[in-house]
Amino acid sequence: MVLQSPIPLVIPAYFTQVLLKRKPVKYLPPPRIHDQNVEVWVMPSTGEVFTNYEAYLLRLDFYKQHQFTCPATGQSGLTFFDALASERNETRSVDNRFPEALKEPVCRKIQFSTISRMEDLVQHVYDEFKQEFFPGEHVTCLYENGDRLDGVVRDKVSFQEQRSPDGELIRKAFSRYFIRLFDREHEEALLDNDRIIRSRKNFSKHVLRVFLKNSLTKEPWAGAPWCLKIELANQYKIPTEVPARLLQENRQAERKAHLALKREEQDGTFFQFFAGQQMPSGAGRRKLSQLDIQKRKEIQLQQYQEAMAAGQVHPFTGAPGFQVSHPTHLTHPTLPAHPSPFQTFYAPPVYPQIVSRQPQMPPPPPPIKYPIEDLDIEPKRNSVQRPQLRFLAMHGLTQNGDTSNVNSTDSRLAMKSIGPLLETWNTLNVLCQPFILDSFTLDDFIDAMSLPADANNCELLEEIHCAVLSLLVDEDGQLKVSLPELDEDEEDEEEDEEMEDSTLSTPLPDAPARSTRSSLAKQEAAALQEESNRVSPSTKLPRHRATEMLAERGWIERCGAREFEEGGWQTILVGLIHQISLHPSNKDACDEILAYLSPANKEPTPETAQEQYASMNVNLRISALQMIVILAPTTKTIRSYLEECSEAMTQMRKDKIEQQRLKKPLIEELHDLDNQRKMLLPDNMPDSDTEEKNETADVDMDVSEDLVADGDKTEDSDDEPRTRSLRRNSGRALERKRKREEDAARKEKEKREKEAAKASKQSTAFKKLLKDIDKKKEAIKGCEDAIADLDNDLREANCQRTKCVGRDRYWNRYWWFERNGMPFAGLPEASTSEYGYANGRLWVQGPDEAERKGFVDLSDEEMNQYKARHGVAVPDREKQELGPTRLFSANEWAYYDSPEAIDALIAWLDDRGKREKDLRKELMNWRDPIAQQMEKLTAHLLERNHKREEADEEAATGITTRHSKSNVDKDTRRHPCLEWRNNLAIQEMGKRHAEPADNKKKKKQKKGVAQLVTRKKPVVVEPSPEPLPPRRAKTDSRNSRNSRR
């Protein structure tokens, strides 16, 4: 028996090919070793095995000759080992320097390239990728002021070139890149490719040449394509099968056909055609004499004259220098009757052509390969418009004064606040676990942010602010975010100067010796008037008193002590926003909030902050909350949570792969079992053919007996009386009926016996097979359910960033916030989980100014060219296709809230465009969950509006039903956000964020109120005619509505 060598071969880490005479060195194959105890010699650098020491020495001497070439550097005259070491070092250096993000695109570009010379291939690839960059690549940004900043490409948007119908270039192809800067945290640059460069250390012709030499191989025949090495192709999943047109035999056949076509084009004249007909097969290989040439010319002229006489040819302009001898016995119709002496040689100026060549038509334009740029598609003429949008803010976006699409819970809500509102809601719900905050719906959030001052305390509003503040400052009083530092000395000096200015008084003029009380009063009034006139109207008074409000204790100390009650969190909010205002970019917005929370005309106390916040505008509330929420992701708690989610997603992906691996053999086993079932099925089924034959025979027998009986009846009716024959026939009929019943009973008995026998036969093998099939199906279903659960868990754990659904042809962005980072209906344990939805809307954001530029907002010249191509300008087309509801900037938002609108939007999108193809695909994938959430939203809003109408009706009439609750319940029906409870905080901390650490509320006992002291909890009893409101229990909304009825 022949055994392979058990000695391990030392294979190089990177597949190397040292060159010998421009060809890779071929290694010797491993020998066949019959005896495992035989002594062998191994070449460590190549892994070659020798059973003979002399062969080993000869091979070693061959490798030590200075005749090898390093394929990476091109250095020749090296030994094999030196060339191998040089290639490895250069390869390792190039692999480390060459951009990792650029390797796969370059490999895909050069695979099966037919550029023969390596230098030409290097130049071609270098020109192709010199101004092309890819996400993840380190680049340098060039600014107009000369600054050079390093960064990494985060995203890329490519734009194709635009050409007019006649082929004229309108706009060159270019790309735009979002670049995350290294030196400027939280800043990105949006630049074109002409403003970005690479480092020459990482990308140059030399580096590219070394990379291509190490990556490509080529067969030794003319026209062979370049092929990637197997390891590199498998790494980037690039096809390695050479196309049929690039195979050696096909390339040679194509070359021969091209040469033949070229030869035919050259052999198209009349004389060359006839000369080719007369030339023998071997004539082209020898030199013709002058006599042979003269004979051929005479034959050509004779054939030409015959063709002209027959009208088979037409003249054409030929080569002017061709002359033939004119024989005396031949005449030409174009020559004069008496030729002149100068016409000894005939030189015809025009030569004929056998087949007249028609002018070639220009080739038709190539078919359009979709998808293309969305606005390059011809506009549809059916006037189909995008479904109308709905708005939360009344800001005249309908252009025609129609406010039917405006659905605002608060008319004071401004359009500029919709974006921060959605951003804040999404952040709090996606990161609800590190915030220790129960999830809540968008409608409850809007209701809480716009709560009037006369409403009861809203737990949702308090818990949101307290949860965020608790995350920014821990219980030890340590600040977890970076904020501008407060300069206490300068503040003290400013306060002292303000106090000194306030204590100075205007001196009054000396009173005359004789003065009365009325004259003194007139002097004081004149002095006050003069002082008011002296003060300049441009003197700036302080807008707020935030510094005085926190003079005794800073906001960090208050937040660390969790002093959130009785205006505490409002006071902490004032201090935090005051410190944020020290940054110049936030000063104006912060001063506007501080001027309302801590006005200059009121005392700087926590009660003032509490009262002012209760009456503050909803837009200022949203702005203040957004300022503190955007600080939370920079804390260590949030970063740790995001890292945990990433690690959990990695484990989930592994589990999903494992489930898929388990499912694959189960499907194969089920397929085998099903084949066995099909094979055993005929033996375990009733013999239908035999039974049908037997039943047919029985029926035929009965029919024949009936026919015989009818024949007897006919014969008897002719010979005997009618009554007698009837009595005889009735007896025979009864006899036949009895026989048929006996036969039927016998057959039924036999059938039951056969079925019992077959059932007993199935119970052994066939039934066991059926049970095994059921078990496999259950196992496969279990794997599929596990994969579906893992997919949903991956979706919920993907909370690093909110993903956009897509963009339409006019660069409007579409957002479905439940797509990732949160459950579809919020946390299952939430107090409002019975609503069944979280947001329930598909939001549409207007286009960004940078995206509209060059596509929607064109210059006059570009606009005229676009109108000439498509017959309509871009603004007019946008107005026709989007209808009356449009968005003009990224600060404007609208939404869809019905499944019918989603279906209409999907039908409106054109999948021939790049952006709308991706958007339509995503909407179709998520259509069912989006529609389900919208249906839940509609049902909840109907019930909420019904409750609100009941509360308003009771408040207007002053009549309460016997099912109505107290004033607290009336506020709850008018403002459903009051029903929200922070169950998550109670489960994890045992208390709410707004409660103090000892969980003991300090209440002031009113005068004239008795207090009952019990072992459990003190109960305060007030002399009120109304009964105490019952404690609200968490019930279904349908039950609560029935109880009111």
Short mmCIF file of all heavy atoms in Angstrom, two decimals, residues 414 525 567 692 712 1018:
data_model
loop_
_atom_site.label_atom_id
_atom_site.label_comp_id
_atom_site.label_asym_id
_atom_site.label_seq_id
_atom_site.Cartn_x
_atom_site.Cartn_y
_atom_site.Cartn_z
N ALA A 414 -44.04 74.76 17.04
CA ALA A 414 -43.43 75.33 15.85
C ALA A 414 -42.78 74.22 15.03
O ALA A 414 -42.39 73.18 15.55
CB ALA A 414 -42.39 76.38 16.23
N ALA A 525 -39.27 115.41 41.75
CA ALA A 525 -39.81 114.89 40.49
C ALA A 525 -38.93 115.30 39.32
O ALA A 525 -38.69 114.51 38.39
CB ALA A 525 -41.23 115.39 40.29
N GLY A 567 -39.63 72.12 42.99
CA GLY A 567 -38.87 73.01 42.13
C GLY A 567 -37.39 72.71 42.09
O GLY A 567 -36.63 73.52 41.52
N GLU A 692 -62.05 -0.93 -7.26
CA GLU A 692 -62.89 -0.36 -8.30
C GLU A 692 -63.31 -1.42 -9.31
O GLU A 692 -64.46 -1.46 -9.76
CB GLU A 692 -62.14 0.77 -9.01
CG GLU A 692 -61.99 2.01 -8.14
CD GLU A 692 -61.20 3.09 -8.85
OE1 GLU A 692 -60.75 2.80 -9.99
OE2 GLU A 692 -61.03 4.16 -8.29
N ASP A 712 -87.59 -11.22 -18.63
CA ASP A 712 -88.61 -12.15 -18.16
C ASP A 712 -89.94 -11.45 -18.04
O ASP A 712 -91.00 -11.99 -18.36
CB ASP A 712 -88.20 -12.74 -16.81
CG ASP A 712 -86.95 -13.61 -16.95
OD1 ASP A 712 -86.64 -13.99 -18.11
OD2 ASP A 712 -86.26 -13.84 -15.93
N PRO A 1018 -49.05 56.94 57.52
CA PRO A 1018 -49.99 57.97 57.97
C PRO A 1018 -50.93 58.36 56.85
O PRO A 1018 -50.53 58.50 55.71
CB PRO A 1018 -49.07 59.13 58.36
CG PRO A 1018 -47.84 58.91 57.57
CD PRO A 1018 -47.67 57.44 57.45
#
